[in-house]
Amino acid sequence: MDASYILRIFADMNVDVHGIIGASGQLGTEIALRLMEAGERVVLLDIKAPSYAPLQELPFEKVDVRDQGALAAGLGGHKVTHVYHLAAALSARGEQEPQWAWDLNMNGLLHVLELAASMDHIAKVFWPSSIAVFGPGSGPVAAQTGHRLPTTVYGVSKNAGEHWCAWYHQHRGVDVRSVRYPGLIGTLAPPGGGTTDYAVEVFDHLHGAAPYTCFLEAQEKLPMMHMDDAVTGALQLLAAPRAALQCAEAYNIGAMSFSPEELFAEIRRHVPEFKAVFAPDFRQAIAAGWPDAMDDAMARRDWGWAPQVGLEELVRSMMASRRDVQPLPQVS
Ligand code: SER
């Protein structure tokens, strides 16, 4: 047996394996691509195979997170070390099928946490929380420890999920880390039925004959973030020394804050003929309960959170990106 063979075995034993659950979704697609481009070993887990072509060369496990046995087989078979648990029903879709959303969001998380506690090869878990944990009484700028009265099944599941993560860390030693994401804006895969989706959807309607119909009010300000910052944040938080993380819950992270009319004004700098009309639906009430912005001082202090993309660059990047993905599913 030559020395290089033995070295290779040791390298294989020490290598990180990133298992992305919900890998075909909006955030999963982007995290998978970033890790793949960095030369990391990545395994995709989802109920549907990735539609973004470059990811189709990665190993894929068809897994429903509600099936703990299938999840155990998928994570165990690849000796996953870093789990990104991203599969969830978002706020608007969750209101239409509350029991299904609760089952998916809550039992999916509990399965992942339980497996992380019992499988020795799992070193870390990333699980996103959301601005949806906030609600009436949180104020326009949500404090890290601000008042939380979620008004959606999605928000309730994220709020409860934060407490479960803290419990599994404290009592079962699971190194689970979390951020409260605002609306995420990117192009590779569509979001799955959120209240902030208009800010992605609008980019499919810039050149149509008919004006874009926005489902929120013109002045409804919400916290938003470009996908590049969202992915960087997740990877930065996972890489941070555990001892530096003083927050027992999910970290607030902010990047920018805008209303539909502010986003559309920025779009018009590129497409002057762009027109929008406003027909607020049930999603307006959800948005109205959420803060306008996030106080993320703790994330900046503990692990160096520093978003790079503002509104101007976000619009420029969305306009420049290839829009060869399928249209967003309609929630109405
Ligand atoms: N983007 C999410 C939603 O709108 C918020 O986390 O549901």
Side-chain angles (χ1 to χ4, degrees):
M1 202 181 287
D2 68 19
S4 71
Y5 177 73
I6 294 170
L7 283 176
R8 225 169 35 244
I9 292 178
F10 276 112
D12 275 356
M13 282 167 61
N14 291 324
V15 87
D16 290 341
V17 181
H18 303 267
I20 303 179
I21 304 169
S24 301
Q26 189 201 18
L27 180 57
T29 301
E30 307 262 0
I31 291 185
L33 185 67
R34 178 84 70 90
L35 289 169
M36 188 178 93
E37 286 176 346
E40 295 287 329
R41 281 172 63 170
V42 181
V43 180
L44 312 177
L45 302 97
D46 204 304
I47 45 170
K48 58 179 196 297
S51 57
Y52 187 59
L55 298 184
Q56 287 164 0
E57 64 196 63
L58 295 173
F60 169 70
E61 298 289 342
K62 188 175 164 61
V63 165
D64 183 333
V65 288
R66 292 167 297 176
D67 179 347
Q68 195 176 18
L71 202 52
L75 297 173
H78 294 272
K79 294 269 181 291
V80 167
T81 58
H82 292 58
V83 177
Y84 305 74
H85 175 40
L86 312 174
L90 294 184
S91 59
R93 177 95 166 78
E95 292 310 281
Q96 296 177 323
E97 288 185 75
Q99 305 293 338
W100 165 80
W102 180 257
D103 183 27
L104 175 65
N105 293 6
M106 224 58 262
N107 287 323
L109 175 62
L110 289 173
H111 291 160
V112 168
L113 292 171
E114 198 49 42
L115 291 175
S118 59
M119 295 176 125
D120 289 344
H121 53 82
I122 299 179
K124 292 178 186 177
V125 177
F126 174 76
W127 171 79
S129 183
S130 163
I131 52 170
V133 298
F134 295 110
S138 301
V141 181
Q144 177 62 52
T145 53
H147 179 66
R148 278 151 48 191
L149 187 63
T151 58
T152 59
V153 174
Y154 173 67
V156 175
S157 73
K158 290 294 182 186
N159 199 31
E162 286 194 24
H163 295 301
W164 272 116
C165 287
W167 188 89
Y168 268 88
H169 178 235
Q170 199 182 346
H171 297 287
R172 304 286 299 278
V174 175
D175 187 355
V176 52
R177 304 173 181 203
S178 183
V179 295
R180 293 180 186 138
Y181 277 131
L184 300 184
I185 302 167
T187 54
L188 298 186
T195 299
T196 55
D197 289 9
Y198 86 88
V200 179
E201 182 180 90
V202 62
F203 289 94
D204 287 330
H205 298 264
L206 299 187
H207 303 287
Y212 169 63
T213 304
C214 179
F215 56 75
L216 296 186
E217 283 172 6
Q219 280 108 34
E220 184 56 60
K221 238 182 186 15
L222 286 171
M224 298 281 187
M225 184 179 293
H226 189 271
M227 211 31 114
D228 286 352
D229 280 331
V231 174
T232 302
L235 301 183
Q236 256 181 329
L237 176 59
L238 272 192
R242 181 80 224 188
L245 306 179
Q246 299 299 308
C247 178
E249 44 197 12
Y251 280 95
N252 276 5
I253 53 171
M256 67 189 100
S257 184
F258 57 74
S259 65
E261 67 179 5
E262 286 166 334
L263 174 64
F264 300 164
E266 188 59 35
I267 287 174
R268 271 188 211 103
R269 293 180 53 203
H270 300 261
V271 187
E273 67 279 13
F274 169 69
K275 287 194 176 54
V277 292
F278 296 88
D281 64 17
F282 73 101
R283 288 168 281 195
Q284 173 53 38
I286 298 175
W290 289 352
D292 299 352
M294 306 283 272
D295 175 357
D296 58 8
M298 206 167 179
R300 289 173 186 268
R301 184 198 70 190
D302 287 3
W303 48 277
W305 168 244
Q308 303 296 310
V309 184
L311 176 58
E312 239 183 88
E313 201 190 327
L314 175 125
V315 170
R316 205 175 318 116
S317 128
M318 291 297 284
M319 306 279 312
S321 296
R322 288 176 20 244
R323 302 287 300 156
D324 58 354
V325 294
Q326 63 276 50
L328 288 172
Q330 292 301 305
V331 178
S332 55

